[in-house]
Amino acid sequence: DTWECGVRMAAVPPCHRDADAALAPTPLRIVARFVLRGTYRAVRALPSAQGAVLLLGGYTPKLNALAEVLLVNGVQAVYLTPRAALRGADAIADMVDEQGWAILYVLPLSDSAVFVSDILNSRLGALANDPSTSFLRRDKFAQQEALRQAGLPAAAQHLVSSALGAKLAARALLQVGGGADAEVAGAEYPATHAGAAPGEGGERHAAAAAPAAVVVKPKDSSGGDGIWLCSTEDHAGTAASEELWRCNVEGAVNSELIIMEAFLAEEEWVVNSVSRLGEHKVTDMWCGPPKALQPQDRSSPAQFVYTEHFLASGSQRRDDVIAFCCAVLDALGLQSGAAHTEIVWTAHGPRLLEVNARPSGGLPRTPARPNQLEALAMSLFQPDRFAELPLAPPDGGFAAAVVFLCAPFDGWLRCEALEAIVSLGTFHRFDRDLLGHHGGTRPVRVSRTVGLFSSPGAVVLQGTCDEAVRSDAAEI
């Protein structure tokens, strides 16, 4: 057992039988062990299994925060790391049962756990998304195609498995004429096209517009991992060579990459939501400028760097983003559970970047209640209260922002700088890699920022005045 933040949460130890082929957890052996343990429990040779919600995640602060929320609802939480998801649903059920826990529900806290969570929740008869559509909530290429099939605007894109395929796909996207209407299924091309990419066999592609640049990205990673902006076909080939067959942050190997049009974004939006039986509730929304680029001159493939997001207040544009987000969740079959959706606002309206079928990556940053983790527990154990929540939180007289720190070179974040940030009037806390830091107690070694995972950390600001929050964000 682990004790953190005053919350008792049991860690399910990994199964070591794989080292012995004679005792490998085959389906037949798993069933036999279930029957034996059930028999022993029936005759009280083993203690009865205790009910618990299984969390599949590896970020300890979030595991503790969600466990605390579940404990308020009278429910124990146990957890397995996302690596366990790679073993499959049967192995997970076996590991948990072996430790004396009876799964009540499974909550994925990382993208790699979405498949097995859907399978286990479906077997349990709990609130579950259809396992046959789980790939729509993991595969970023399939997400855009699902939108196109549903009549929603979607990105022109290709799926490739070689650097040559990436160059040919980028050439096709950068040279094809069309315009915004080509993004919508049926405007110029069929909704999906399962043929070969121009000049290369075996590559799938879909309808294309004419962007100024293309994005190269893994189809099943997260957190900005492996995403490149390319203004030429050679850049796309270089980015593909860098990413193909690399193990991404979700533990999958990049055997295929998406080459998609780069939306000309006016703003970027993040929508955190919780759903129950198809009823969607937005817990917090954030809006900010488009991500910065490294390098900025586009002389080579560039990577995206997060900058800042501000808690979105009520407006017609916010309402339009909410409506689009709900339509996206319906198209992807996300009927129950948490979602973290990234959207860009273009001259033609909202466009989807990707949906992650799990809570937001960090701890909740909004001062509004309930936050996403609280609403998630509410959807499971207090359905009547969840049904009473508004579609989106009303303006509550508060403001918030998250500022992602960007180091221009390798070096140190000095005590004086950290203390200056802490002294800001709307400072609430440090986040990500600086979580738990209390200011000028010690300097922090940093590396040059080239993406989200190389950022030194983030700063969460909260206050009652939007102007004061924005002023402090600019000061940082």
Side-chain angles (χ1 to χ4, degrees):
D1 291 351
T2 58
W3 292 76
E4 295 193 42
C5 302
V7 179
R8 179 178 181 274
M9 180 167 54
V12 179
C15 177
H16 298 292
R17 294 192 183 90
D18 292 349
D20 186 350
L23 295 174
T26 64
L28 183 58
R29 292 190 180 106
I30 288 174
V31 171
R33 289 200 290 268
F34 263 102
V35 173
L36 285 173
R37 287 192 290 261
T39 302
Y40 289 149
R41 287 170 182 144
V43 299
R44 299 185 179 180
L46 283 177
S48 299
Q50 301 179 57
V53 173
L54 176 61
L55 311 180
L56 294 176
Y59 185 48
T60 302
K62 175 169 287 184
L63 290 169
N64 289 327
L66 186 51
E68 186 172 2
V69 170
L70 291 169
L71 199 60
V72 171
N73 288 269
V75 183
Q76 176 74 41
V78 297
Y79 73 90
L80 281 168
T81 64
R83 187 177 297 274
L86 303 178
R87 297 173 179 262
D90 293 339
I92 288 177
D94 185 37
M95 283 187 277
V96 175
D97 183 71
E98 184 178 36
Q99 297 301 315
W101 300 102
I103 302 176
L104 302 175
Y105 195 82
V106 184
L107 293 175
L109 302 187
S110 67
D111 293 62
S112 60
V114 168
F115 278 115
V116 294
S117 297
D118 288 345
I119 292 171
L120 288 169
N121 285 328
S122 180
R123 290 180 182 178
L124 291 167
L127 291 177
N129 296 311
D130 185 354
S132 69
T133 61
S134 293
F135 72 99
L136 295 178
R137 297 178 289 279
R138 279 289 286 122
D139 188 322
K140 306 306 189 292
F141 183 89
Q143 289 181 2
Q144 297 290 342
E145 295 310 299
L147 265 60
R148 213 182 314 277
Q149 292 285 355
L152 297 171
Q157 60 177 359
H158 298 254
L159 192 64
V160 303
S161 58
S162 68
L164 174 60
K167 293 177 66 173
L168 295 172
R171 179 190 303 173
L173 288 174
L174 292 169
Q175 292 180 355
V176 168
D181 290 340
E183 297 172 353
V184 182
E188 184 175 354
Y189 299 90
T192 58
H193 181 72
E200 184 187 38
E203 307 291 356
R204 290 173 285 159
H205 69 288
V214 297
V215 171
V216 178
K217 61 188 291 187
K219 66 178 184 177
D220 55 1
S221 193
S222 64
D225 172 54
I227 301 181
W228 300 80
L229 183 70
C230 305
S231 55
T232 70
E233 61 184 81
D234 288 336
H235 289 174
T238 300
S241 297
E242 183 77 20
E243 296 301 327
L244 277 168
W245 305 111
R246 182 180 67 83
C247 186
N248 62 44
V249 298
E250 293 294 334
V253 174
N254 295 332
S255 59
E256 294 178 303
L257 296 173
I258 302 170
I259 314 296
M260 64 178 283
E261 65 170 306
F263 294 123
L264 186 60
E266 297 177 7
E267 298 170 333
E268 295 196 4
W269 289 73
V270 173
V271 184
N272 294 319
S273 61
V274 175
S275 305
R276 177 185 168 86
L277 299 175
E279 184 179 13
H280 310 300
K281 306 288 188 180
V282 174
T283 58
D284 52 299
M285 296 179 63
W286 304 80
C287 177
K291 298 180 185 72
L293 298 174
Q294 288 288 354
Q296 298 180 357
D297 58 6
R298 298 195 186 185
S299 59
S300 61
Q303 292 186 286
F304 294 94
V305 176
Y306 287 66
T307 55
E308 57 189 7
H309 289 147
F310 298 92
L311 191 65
S313 56
S315 67
Q316 182 59 52
R317 180 168 292 189
R318 189 185 83 151
D319 293 343
D320 292 342
V321 171
I322 292 174
F324 178 72
C325 180
C326 291
V328 167
L329 297 180
D330 289 338
L332 301 185
L334 201 155
Q335 297 295 297
S336 297
H340 175 74
T341 305
E342 297 184 17
I343 294 170
V344 293
W345 187 274
T346 72
H348 308 289
R351 296 292 184 268
L352 177 70
L353 290 181
E354 62 182 49
V355 172
N356 306 105
R358 42 82 176 163
S360 175
L363 292 176
R365 296 162 178 155
T366 175
R369 307 297 289 271
N371 60 41
Q372 190 179 29
L373 299 184
E374 293 166 338
L376 181 57
M378 194 181 295
S379 72
L380 298 176
F381 302 108
Q382 301 182 59
D384 292 339
R385 285 190 61 195
F386 180 81
E388 294 172 357
L389 294 176
L391 173 60
D395 290 340
F398 42 70
V402 54
V403 181
F404 299 91
L405 302 183
C406 178
F409 49 79
D410 295 348
W412 292 86
L413 193 53
R414 298 182 302 166
C415 293
E416 294 86 351
L418 292 166
E419 193 60 42
I421 293 174
V422 171
S423 66
L424 294 172
T426 63
F427 175 83
H428 180 64
R429 73 164 192 267
F430 288 110
D431 204 355
R432 298 188 65 84
D433 288 354
L434 290 175
L435 184 66
H437 206 287
H438 300 293
T441 56
R442 67 184 188 278
V444 177
R445 190 175 185 86
V446 299
S447 301
R448 177 174 175 268
T449 302
V450 294
L452 180 61
F453 291 106
S454 57
S455 168
V459 182
V460 179
L461 306 175
Q462 292 183 4
T464 57
C465 175
D466 184 67
E467 184 178 348
V469 167
R470 290 179 179 273
S471 175
D472 285 351
E475 180 68 17
I476 294 173

